Amino acid sequence: MNVLFSFKQLRTLLAMLAMMIFSFPDAVADAPSLIIKDLGEGHCLVQINTNQRYLLLPVEEVMPDVRVSMIVNNKEVKAADVRLAVNRVDYFVPLDLSGYTGKNVLLKFKLGSNDPVRGKLSAVCCKEMKLADTFDTGNREKFRPTYHFSPLYGWMNDPNGMVYKDGEYHLFYQYNPYGSKWGNMSWGHAISKDLVNWQHLPVAIAPDALGTIFSGSAVVDTDNTAGFGAGAIIAIYTQNSDRQVQSIAYSTDNGRTFTCYENNPVLTSDARDFRDPKVFWHKETRRWIMILAVGQEMQIFSSPNLKDWTYESSFGEGQGAHGGVWECPDLFELPVEGTNEKKWVLLCNLNPGGPFGGSATQYFVGTFNGKEFVNESPSKTKWMDWGKDHYATVTWSDAPDNRRIAIAWMSNWQYANDVPTSQYRSPNSVPRDLGLFTVGGETYLQSAPSPELQKLRDISKKRSFRVNGTRTVKEMIPVNEGAYEIELSIKNLHADVIGFRLYNDKGEEVDMQYDMKENRFSMDRRKSGDVGFNENFPALTWTAVESGKNELKLHLFVDKSSVEAFGDGGRFAMTNQVFPSEPYNHIDFYSKGGAYKVDSFIVYRLKQ
């Protein structure tokens, strides 16, 4: 049968067809892209079909970890432990979906077993998880530091893989991208050209079938000894599962992406604590040297190619402090101030067993011949920092001008998971340039603030005055928001105690003093603000200072949640966290038993 259409009828038919065609995508868009199914007894399945980048997972910190498996094409492509919200949302963490655009993604998890609330889709996480193209990393924490490095969000502990290449300082770090308590250990990553301004980059190395990614180091393989390419950055790290093994990964794009070596692990042991490799090139023997923490000793290995390792020696028995497990070693050579001599320094981080409880960094000075380290003072224990919050200290490889620059995790395992922040947890210390000096025939490590920090200085104010009793400076600097630097030069005029107290209008304070009779410097944070979140946090820390010195120099770096003190150019250092309800805007100088003169009191406001 022939059917004839008038022009008007044909135009109407084409319009209807066009409406059907162009309305179809809207119908697809209206289809649910996030479907949550209750499988009973707390088991949940989330079906995702979207081009959006993130699934935002709601977190409630008091909840136990829930294992979340991400499945694509019937294979698990990612897994993480997340404290999924049941009663309230403390914050969100992003699950990155960008690599799976156009694919069906499944999430599988179990909220709980016997708890009737957690075992139901009525849990908050099932109602609040959502898809998004962006994730807000804007600062929502009053204690987030202004100029100390901290992660955009999530948990951070040990600095890792620190290496300098092509004008960039690389800082990797122990990172949990799925919560602000310890877990899901990965290598976070940031870069800087000046040690002050940092650019955050994506996670560099994530857990795989061999385990989570614990601490380690990175080197530039200039001569292509490993065969991954001349100038490749090679990361050497511990993988943790039932046992700890050492693995490597390589980057040929200046650290932007890493490929795990297909024949990992490269070093194994039957020791339970076998971790934190620090690797460097030893030019005298033309080999790579690895120093590794094994229980309560350090083991030294050598390799021609970063893949095949030979045991050389052990160090530690009968040396230094042994109150806990040894961790995060470093081994490097430094010049001795005022001489033509060089000596080797072995950093050894210890947890617990620090001088004021919990974790701390000890060190040894001696010789290294490519096989063995020998401590020149086996009867002495030396601490790098005399505060509560300076741990996992390691140095940058290949820093320019033969500098040895260190940075530390600014926290303590006694309370790191409890500090009163939630968007993130833990910053790093300021970077410090290291050297050696000698007093009374004994060689010590010097930690001075790196000169790049002077770039942070904004406005300043200088004063000088005499103190006999109390001298108050109510406003140290205009518009003080809690980030500042103080340089003090003091001449003692027979005072027994030279003291100064940072405080705010709430009566919160950090009290520091030189006891000239006892020859010691102390810092008291017991009234510093919020100290009640853990019984180990309130503390008075102290260190011995050189006797007979009447001219004192003290350098303080104060941030919104920390105070770092450096005495006499870094001959002692003391790092403590603080959590005041408002900044310390005032300072009292006080004396006991006599007077002293403040030759110079300079306060710099520090910018971000």
Side-chain angles (χ1 to χ4, degrees):
M1 180 176 65
N2 294 326
V3 179
L4 297 176
F5 292 97
S6 69
F7 178 75
K8 185 176 180 181
Q9 288 173 321
L10 185 60
R11 188 172 61 182
T12 303
L13 184 60
L14 288 172
M16 291 173 61
L17 249 138
M19 286 179 63
M20 292 174 62
I21 292 170
F22 288 108
S23 65
F24 181 72
D26 290 337
V28 173
D30 290 339
S33 53
L34 187 64
I35 303 172
I36 303 175
K37 295 184 177 180
D38 187 349
L39 305 182
E41 297 181 338
H43 294 274
C44 294
L45 196 66
V46 180
Q47 292 180 313
I48 305 167
N49 186 355
T50 182
N51 291 328
Q52 290 183 281
R53 179 166 184 178
Y54 300 115
L55 176 65
L56 302 184
L57 299 173
V59 173
E60 183 178 356
E61 287 207 333
V62 297
M63 289 295 109
D65 282 326
V66 170
R67 189 71 168 177
V68 178
S69 297
M70 182 172 166
I71 301 166
V72 177
N73 293 334
N74 301 318
K75 292 182 180 179
E76 184 179 79
V77 295
K78 191 179 294 185
D81 295 323
V82 185
R83 298 170 184 266
L84 289 175
V86 172
N87 306 298
R88 69 174 191 274
V89 179
D90 292 331
Y91 53 86
F92 290 87
V93 294
L95 182 66
D96 194 344
L97 306 172
S98 59
Y100 307 100
T101 300
K103 296 183 179 180
N104 289 316
V105 177
L106 291 179
L107 290 190
K108 184 176 71 171
F109 56 88
K110 183 183 180 184
L111 282 173
S113 53
N114 298 322
D115 189 324
V117 175
R118 286 165 49 199
K120 296 290 184 181
L121 288 184
S122 58
V124 167
C125 69
C126 296
K127 297 177 179 179
E128 297 294 331
M129 68 172 64
K130 53 193 174 185
L131 294 160
D133 286 318
T134 60
F135 176 65
D136 179 18
T137 57
N139 181 27
R140 296 183 295 277
E141 295 278 359
K142 71 175 182 178
F143 293 129
R144 183 181 286 276
T146 297
Y147 58 91
H148 290 81
F149 178 83
S150 61
L152 284 176
Y153 66 95
W155 163 277
M156 179 182 76
N157 57 292
D158 307 356
N160 294 156
M162 291 149 54
V163 67
Y164 179 86
K165 184 176 187 290
D166 296 339
E168 294 177 336
Y169 291 93
H170 290 265
L171 171 62
F172 302 92
Y173 50 91
Q174 290 286 278
Y175 183 48
N176 180 8
Y178 302 111
S180 57
K181 290 180 180 281
W182 186 91
N184 303 303
M185 284 296 97
S186 311
W187 272 24
H189 188 196
I191 56 172
S192 175
K193 294 185 180 296
D194 60 6
L195 295 170
V196 171
N197 299 290
W198 292 94
Q199 176 187 350
H200 295 269
L201 295 178
V203 169
I205 307 176
D208 60 25
L210 286 175
T212 50
I213 313 301
F214 273 22
S215 293
S217 54
V219 297
V220 178
D221 189 9
T222 304
D223 297 328
N224 194 26
T225 63
F228 300 128
I233 297 179
I234 314 293
I236 309 98
Y237 51 90
T238 299
Q239 293 205 255
N240 182 71
S241 56
D242 295 330
R243 282 292 189 269
Q244 294 178 346
V245 299
Q246 314 314 313
S247 294
I248 62 175
Y250 61 93
S251 172
T252 57
D253 58 1
N254 273 4
R256 269 51 179 185
T257 60
F258 279 85
T259 301
C260 295
Y261 177 46
E262 62 183 3
N263 292 321
N264 279 336
V266 297
L267 184 60
T268 63
S269 171
D270 60 1
R272 179 173 293 275
D273 294 307
F274 182 70
R275 58 178 177 264
D276 309 339
K278 180 61 187 277
V279 173
F280 64 94
W281 179 255
H282 189 250
K283 61 182 180 181
E284 289 78 9
T285 57
R286 295 199 57 78
R287 298 179 304 168
W288 295 104
I289 299 298
M290 176 194 293
I291 183 164
L292 193 70
V294 186
Q296 289 198 345
E297 69 176 15
M298 300 302 182
Q299 293 184 359
I300 295 172
F301 298 82
S302 67
S303 172
N305 57 12
L306 296 167
K307 299 173 180 175
D308 305 299
W309 293 93
T310 300
Y311 171 80
E312 297 290 352
S313 64
S314 297
F315 169 81
E317 185 176 355
Q319 313 266 334
H322 285 269
V325 175
W326 283 18
E327 295 185 311
C328 301
D330 203 347
L331 183 60
F332 48 85
E333 195 175 26
L334 285 175
V336 181
E337 181 182 72
T339 74
N340 295 320
E341 189 179 8
K342 289 185 176 182
K343 295 184 180 183
W344 285 81
V345 177
L346 193 160
L347 297 186
C348 170
N349 292 276
L350 172 77
N351 178 55
F356 304 103
S359 39
T361 305
Q362 63 180 324
Y363 68 92
F364 308 92
V365 179
T367 60
F368 178 65
N369 62 5
K371 289 181 175 286
E372 295 178 303
F373 174 81
V374 177
N375 178 19
E376 68 179 20
S377 303
S379 63
K380 289 186 176 291
T381 299
K382 299 176 181 179
W383 299 103
M384 185 175 180
D385 189 285
W386 292 88
K388 288 274 287 186
D389 296 308
H390 188 269
Y391 190 60
T393 316
V394 284
T395 65
W396 265 279
S397 299
D398 300 323
D401 303 320
N402 295 315
R403 293 169 64 189
R404 183 58 58 174
I405 308 168
I407 204 166
W409 177 48
M410 195 158 60
S411 196
N412 191 306
W413 279 116
Q414 286 184 327
Y415 43 74
N417 278 290
D418 303 328
V419 296
T421 65
S422 61
Q423 182 187 19
Y424 79 101
R425 276 195 173 86
S426 303
N428 284 331
S429 70
V430 294
R432 306 173 184 197
D433 276 47
L434 306 184
L436 292 173
F437 67 98
T438 301
V439 174
E442 193 69 43
T443 304
Y444 297 95
L445 187 63
Q446 179 171 307
S447 303
S450 295
E452 286 86 349
L453 293 167
Q454 294 178 18
K455 296 178 181 179
L456 293 166
R457 291 174 176 175
D458 191 6
I459 63 172
S460 64
K461 193 163 186 177
K462 182 177 180 178
R463 304 171 177 88
S464 60
F465 43 82
R466 178 187 172 100
V467 179
N468 189 1
T470 302
R471 173 70 178 257
T472 298
V473 179
K474 283 293 288 182
E475 185 183 60
M476 286 187 287
I477 201 165
V479 197
N480 182 357
E481 296 181 349
Y484 52 92
E485 174 189 359
I486 294 175
E487 288 185 312
L488 271 172
S489 294
I490 295 171
K491 183 178 292 183
N492 190 21
L493 305 175
H494 311 296
D496 293 333
V497 172
I498 296 171
F500 19 89
R501 184 175 66 95
L502 297 171
Y503 68 101
N504 59 27
D505 291 331
K506 302 290 187 181
E508 299 162 343
E509 65 178 44
V510 178
D511 186 32
M512 289 165 276
Q513 60 177 238
Y514 286 93
D515 188 319
M516 305 305 289
K517 285 190 172 182
E518 298 293 331
N519 294 312
R520 76 178 201 173
F521 174 85
S522 64
M523 185 187 301
D524 188 346
R525 70 173 182 195
R526 289 174 293 185
K527 300 177 182 178
S528 57
D530 187 352
V531 299
F533 54 85
N534 185 288
E535 64 182 2
N536 295 298
F537 187 80
L540 182 148
T541 61
W542 63 273
T543 181
V545 296
E546 296 174 50
S547 61
K549 294 190 70 173
N550 286 320
E551 294 189 2
L552 307 170
K553 292 186 181 297
L554 187 67
H555 201 164
L556 300 176
F557 283 85
V558 181
D559 210 336
K560 292 184 177 180
S561 55
S562 62
V563 179
E564 292 168 275
F566 300 89
D568 295 328
R571 290 196 171 206
F572 73 79
M574 186 176 292
T575 303
N576 285 313
Q577 292 185 92
V578 291
F579 298 99
S581 57
E582 60 184 44
Y584 307 123
N585 288 322
H586 320 304
I587 186 168
D588 273 350
F589 292 85
Y590 62 90
S591 66
K592 296 180 182 178
Y596 63 89
K597 183 182 178 185
V598 178
D599 284 331
S600 177
F601 168 48
I602 308 175
V603 184
Y604 302 92
R605 189 173 69 197
L606 299 184
K607 57 192 175 184
Q608 193 165 15

